[in-house]
Amino acid sequence: GKGGYDHYMLKEIHEQPPALRQAISGRINELATSVDLDVDLPEAYLQSVEEIQIIACGTSYHAGLYAAELLEEHADVRVSVEIASEYTFNGGRDPWRTLVLAITQSGETADTLSALREAKRSGARTLALTNTLGSTVTREADDTVFIRAGPEIGVAATKTFVSQVATVTLLTVYLGQVRDSISTENASELLSSVRDLPGAVQQVLDQEQAIKETAQAYADSDSFFYIGRDAGHPVALESALKLKEISYDHAEGFPAGELKHGPLALVTPNTPVIALLTEQTRPEKTLNNVKEVKSRGAPVIGVSSDPATTSHVDTTFDIPQCGPMEPVVANVALQLFAYYIANEKDRSIDKPRNLAKSVTVE
Ligand code: F6R
């Protein structure tokens, strides 16, 4: 059942601290220096990989974009992230030096399975990241890592997104160590950040009432823009997707610097802008973009752990510091924001119109 919550989505938002603990349980050593992920792909192969191609759809694609930020920085590998329905294996790439990572919560998404099959036909090795034991992707990929988030009933993915990001962060450290490309300091920073994530997410959940009030205040807006840089960018995309799915409001995410190259034309006093001002995502640059939208009259919500940002925005969702995982913590605040806007409008939150939990057609 819904465990006393009005919707499965709200229950699943609240289940994120235990879901994250389960995702990392037994996978990080005591000193936060090494990772045990049970990857069966041979180490010699993982050392020879030159390119990782990530294929996924929707929210899982956003987790893939987050993964790319981490893998490029720490695993010394080229990374491409492709929407699975747009994927074609480029014959110019060496399949023996390519690892295809399919990210799919359900393990049954037709577009993702079809891209995975194409990769396999071309001779690439494949790794699946999924939540679902026994799913098709686990049978078809060469190897599987589970995100262990537990069942998700709400159509809008919440706890599975944060668990995907936590798990790909562990995968990044694992690959970085196998490939000898990650420093001890960076490995322990990433692992400590993942370990701090459940507690940090809980601190955001404790601010639910304040986020709800802000959502109610903004519920009548025409359109919502989300901006962020680096790992804040996939979180901007993901937070916008969540809002549009469940509230039916127009919402779009942009790389913060891209706003002035077109979308700024849409900004008015009736288009709130949500700015990811998280640490390690160049918040000082994003604040320049905040100034641009404020001068067009747009109200701005900043999501940040840095009190110095509050004077630049109209409302702050104040989140705890969490190093490289801070954008994930910000995402949780924005899940609640989306939920309470949709709830204010009495939408069918767990089963939005036209959408299915698992999309088994191409
Ligand atoms: C959004 C959402 C969808 C899925 C997408 C991929 O909230 O749930 O965008 O993320 O359909 O599904 P999986 O991850 O099962 O392949």
Side-chain angles (χ1 to χ4, degrees):
K2 293 179 202 156
Y5 292 101
D6 288 345
H7 297 95
Y8 281 107
M9 183 183 177
L10 190 58
K11 172 172 179 262
E12 287 158 1
I13 288 173
H14 280 270
E15 278 170 358
Q16 290 178 116
L20 285 163
R21 276 187 210 102
Q22 202 167 285
I24 63 186
S25 152
R27 289 174 161 177
I28 305 179
N29 70 337
E30 191 88 20
L31 297 171
T33 52
S34 75
V35 171
D36 181 1
L37 263 188
D38 242 341
V39 175
D40 289 333
L41 289 168
E43 290 199 356
Y45 161 72
L46 294 174
Q47 284 157 355
S48 72
V49 165
E50 288 174 355
E51 181 175 350
I52 297 178
Q53 296 178 358
I54 299 175
I55 49 177
C57 304
T59 291
S60 295
Y61 170 72
H62 300 149
L65 293 173
Y66 205 123
E69 297 281 338
L70 299 170
L71 287 165
E72 279 184 334
E73 190 174 345
H74 302 291
D76 189 27
V77 65
R78 280 199 308 278
V79 185
S80 66
V81 194
E82 232 169 317
I83 302 258
S85 57
E86 291 293 321
Y87 177 80
T88 43
F89 194 87
N90 177 339
R93 297 165 178 157
D94 182 352
W96 295 99
R97 295 188 183 277
T98 303
L99 172 65
V100 173
L101 173 64
I103 306 181
T104 165
Q105 184 284 127
S106 63
E108 303 296 346
T109 299
D111 288 325
T112 307
L113 292 172
S114 161
L116 179 78
R117 288 169 191 146
E118 162 144 3
K120 284 182 70 174
R121 277 195 300 275
S122 316
R125 298 258 195 156
T126 56
L127 176 63
L129 189 81
T130 186
N131 194 32
T132 316
L133 297 170
S135 58
T136 305
V137 84
T138 66
R139 293 194 298 273
E140 298 201 6
D142 295 315
D143 199 1
T144 301
V145 172
F146 290 99
I147 63 167
R148 309 196 299 206
E152 188 175 66
I153 311 290
V155 163
T158 51
K159 64 176 178 168
T160 57
F161 174 72
V162 302
S163 300
Q164 284 170 334
V165 176
T167 312
V168 292
T169 307
L170 302 186
L171 182 66
T172 299
V173 174
Y174 173 76
L175 288 176
Q177 291 184 333
V178 167
R179 295 164 63 81
D180 212 10
S181 59
I182 191 168
S183 67
T184 316
E185 299 73 51
N186 284 338
S188 89
E189 185 191 32
L190 285 173
L191 296 179
S192 310
S193 170
V194 171
R195 214 157 55 180
D196 291 344
L197 195 49
V201 166
Q202 186 58 54
Q203 287 185 54
V204 172
L205 298 176
D206 294 343
Q207 300 173 49
E208 182 167 4
Q209 189 56 33
I211 296 171
K212 177 180 178 175
E213 283 162 18
T214 304
Q216 288 168 337
Y218 284 101
D220 288 333
S221 308
D222 294 339
S223 190
F224 296 80
F225 298 113
Y226 291 74
I227 59 172
R229 286 184 143 78
D230 305 324
H233 171 227
V235 167
L237 299 181
E238 170 56 15
S239 305
L241 176 63
K242 220 79 315 173
L243 182 62
K244 82 178 85 163
E245 281 183 298
I246 62 170
S247 73
Y248 314 152
D249 281 325
H250 174 247
E252 262 188 281
F254 298 104
E258 190 61 10
L259 207 60
K260 59 186 172 299
H261 296 288
L264 197 55
L266 299 172
V267 169
T268 72
N270 211 16
T271 59
V273 174
I274 296 93
L276 278 298
L277 300 171
T278 41
E279 70 172 34
Q280 300 185 16
T281 65
R282 294 179 288 159
E284 64 294 340
K285 286 214 168 199
T286 303
L287 279 174
N288 292 333
N289 310 113
V290 164
K291 276 192 204 111
E292 291 162 359
V293 300
K294 279 196 72 69
S295 70
R296 274 88 185 166
V300 177
I301 299 174
V303 192
S304 179
S305 63
D306 178 3
T309 63
T310 51
S311 60
H312 301 273
V313 298
D314 299 290
T315 308
T316 297
F317 292 158
D318 183 10
I319 59 168
Q321 279 190 310
C322 201
M325 293 294 102
E326 200 174 297
V328 181
V329 181
N331 178 245
V332 172
L334 296 174
Q335 292 168 349
L336 286 170
F337 181 68
Y339 174 83
Y340 280 110
I341 289 182
N343 197 49
E344 188 69 12
K345 300 184 169 201
D346 237 339
R347 300 299 192 215
S348 169
I349 291 178
D350 284 333
K351 281 187 193 300
R353 66 185 182 200
N354 311 337
L355 301 179
K357 182 69 181 161
S358 175
V359 185
T360 55
V361 292
E362 280 186 53

